[in-house]
Amino acid sequence: MPLAVELRGVSFAYDGGPPVLRDVDLAVEQGEFVAIAGPNGGGKTTLLRIVLGLERPQGGEALLYGEPAAHFSRRAELGYLPQRAQLDVDAPATVREVVSAGRLPAGRLLGPLRRPDRELVEDAIADVGLTEHAGRPIRSLSGGQQQRAFIAKALAAEPRILLFDEPTAGVDADAQEALAALLARLHLERGVTVLYVSHEFGAVEHAVERLVLVRGGIVFDGPPSELPDLWHDPSHGHA
């Protein structure tokens, strides 16, 4: 069984700029829940974009399920939630309409959704705890609820892997903790691989199996319990 994600000696720099990533090796097994953290400008979002095939490394190789990431043939299997600034949270669409759009990668581009698609949409909405808000405009929800709606959209596509870029940005500490609990439950119940990229990793530190710190390269890769104290996220308390 191929690895979900594999980076081999990956190096990357934006045009005319200094290296962002240098000689990065990373292997993520199918079914893992991995947090990727680091300072702003440390390269964690660039690493995620390389994994998604949105950027191509100048050196090394990036693979998704054994295929070159830039030419991955099963894009519908990727559930990607970009940074909040890239989400259309001001659209007049309802939660159900937003989540229904998650079925488009499955090939239903025109006309009403079929019954199996509608059932998948309703299941995804229920999984994130938004059933009672399904008919509300997305813009009327709180920041944490909006994030849940977009997670449901990703789930509706029945992805093999969920990839999140700064999912807790702009939401309060309680919403961060609730989001972490939701992702831990989805990981357990659905068996989906999760890559969670954020500079604030304290909310998921107790839920992930593995923490990867990126600062130009990988400076730590292991269980959160082995993380040196000086690198723990100070915005969250830990027992």
Side-chain angles (χ1 to χ4, degrees), residues 35 210-214 217-228 231:
R210 181 175 165 202
L211 176 64
V212 176
L213 292 186
V214 179
I218 293 177
V219 297
F220 176 85
D221 184 351
S225 60
E226 297 180 7
L227 184 69
W231 283 345

Side-chain angles (χ1 to χ4, degrees), residues 10 28 67 97-99 109 175 191 221 225:
V10 164
V28 177
E67 297 182 23
E97 289 167 341
V98 167
V99 178
L109 298 178
D221 184 351
S225 60

